[in-house]
Amino acid sequence: MRYHENQDGQRSLADKPLANLLVIRASLDKLADLLKRLKFRIFDLAYERQTGSYTRECSRRDLFEIAKMLPQIGQWNSEQFDVAKRAVCEQFGIGSRKFSDAVNVIKANREMKVLLGEETALSHLSDDNVLFVVEQWRQRHPRREGSGNPLGFDYFDPERFAEMAEKSRIAAALNQNVVEKLSSEEIADLQTIYYMGRDKVFAEHYQAVLARTAETQCRAGNPILTVNHLMEKTNFLTSLTSGVRRLGRPSLAERVSAL
């Protein structure tokens, strides 16, 4: 061993005649896995704590599980709710008061509240304007048919340059359509939703991210650049869908995804 004597000058593990290195190695492998999982769960808890979506007894993850166990809000006056409440209290070791604290946090949370059958409107964008933007994006990115040119862009084909010029013209017109349709607040909302969906940002950070995005766009002062930055992305539809769903609008997310 590295230290064959302890701090008292006594031989280490004097009562152990044999150290089975294979057993020690296997045990350390198990311990390493447990410590790794513990480390990342601590990271998760630190990130979750920033959201404020927890109680003294229940983590954010616990609250999601509780929300799944509860019936839809319209059924809260029924026996079904009482049964679910007892099950929650028993599983999480909480009383009626702590249960009420958990429910209050759940009802104030965009993503959790969906599990209770309630949706939350976006800060600035209406459903119609979200769908309008997606329709403009779809014109710029039509569904692909066939495999296309397997060798990529043909730099020796003059027709390709004309095609590129036409696509640029169409893109500029579509960008202008969006800028004329949306206010600066709505454009900031659109960009916020996209990145929250792409980066899987917790819904609780929505307002803070939206405020920073609006400030950044105000300093930039060119909405066309912002809109083009979003409209040129091939993952815009999937990330927007994810962001809308994360922010508590699953019905709108389904309509967006259908496009």
Side-chain angles (χ1 to χ4, degrees):
M1 299 183 66
R2 182 177 182 184
Y3 300 106
H4 62 279
E5 293 182 353
N6 59 31
Q7 292 182 346
D8 298 328
Q10 303 297 318
R11 180 184 172 186
S12 297
L13 303 177
D15 60 335
K16 306 294 183 185
L18 175 67
N20 189 324
L21 297 182
L22 292 177
V23 173
I24 293 174
R25 171 67 179 270
S27 299
L28 289 175
D29 285 341
K30 292 180 180 179
L31 178 61
D33 181 63
L34 289 172
L35 291 175
K36 181 174 69 174
R37 290 160 59 188
L38 176 62
K39 178 182 70 173
F40 286 113
R41 183 57 186 144
I42 291 173
F43 290 161
D44 289 342
L45 287 171
Y47 188 32
E48 289 177 9
R49 192 165 184 83
Q50 299 174 20
T51 67
S53 296
Y54 59 88
T55 68
R56 293 187 62 179
E57 293 73 24
C58 300
S59 68
R60 186 177 188 273
R61 185 181 297 180
D62 292 336
L63 295 177
F64 268 102
E65 292 302 316
I66 292 173
K68 293 175 183 177
M69 295 173 67
L70 297 176
Q72 303 292 281
I73 288 182
Q75 300 175 317
W76 279 20
N77 292 325
S78 66
E79 176 65 20
Q80 185 180 357
F81 177 80
D82 296 333
V83 172
K85 177 180 177 180
R86 288 194 293 270
V88 168
C89 291
E90 179 179 354
Q91 177 172 329
F92 292 91
I94 58 178
S96 294
R97 182 176 178 182
K98 302 302 183 182
F99 172 80
S100 297
D101 292 341
V103 167
N104 288 337
V105 176
I106 291 171
K107 291 171 65 177
N109 184 284
R110 284 175 169 269
E111 197 171 0
M112 296 180 193
K113 191 163 61 173
V114 169
L115 299 173
L116 305 178
E118 287 196 349
E119 296 194 6
T120 307
L122 301 173
S123 288
H124 300 294
L125 280 167
S126 65
D127 290 8
D128 288 343
N129 280 355
V130 170
L131 295 173
F132 172 81
V133 172
V134 173
E135 289 169 351
Q136 303 303 300
W137 176 87
R138 177 51 78 192
Q139 292 184 54
R140 185 167 176 175
H141 301 274
R143 289 184 174 86
R144 297 177 181 178
E145 298 181 0
S147 58
N149 183 359
L151 300 179
F153 185 77
D154 184 356
Y155 290 94
F156 299 98
D157 186 354
E159 293 184 1
R160 292 290 185 180
F161 290 99
E163 181 181 342
M164 289 179 61
E166 177 63 14
K167 287 183 176 180
S168 296
R169 185 193 66 78
I170 294 175
L174 295 174
N175 290 340
Q176 189 63 37
N177 291 344
V178 174
V179 170
E180 292 177 356
K181 182 74 172 180
L182 303 187
S183 65
S184 58
E185 291 83 3
E186 289 174 311
I187 294 176
D189 206 3
L190 183 69
Q191 183 172 352
T192 299
I193 296 168
Y194 165 80
Y195 279 108
M196 291 192 70
R198 191 198 70 172
D199 300 335
K200 298 179 174 58
V201 179
F202 287 151
E204 293 89 330
H205 299 309
Y206 178 39
Q207 294 302 327
V209 176
L210 177 58
R212 291 196 300 269
T213 302
E215 182 180 356
T216 301
Q217 289 186 13
C218 182
R219 289 199 302 267
N222 193 338
I224 285 287
L225 291 180
T226 300
V227 169
N228 184 67
H229 173 71
L230 296 172
M231 298 284 282
E232 69 180 359
K233 294 185 176 298
T234 56
N235 69 343
F236 175 76
L237 184 63
T238 54
S239 296
L240 186 70
T241 302
S242 176
V244 168
R245 181 174 287 108
R246 184 173 292 268
L247 292 173
R249 293 304 311 281
S251 62
L252 176 58
E254 293 301 322
R255 297 175 66 188
V256 170
S257 180
L259 296 175

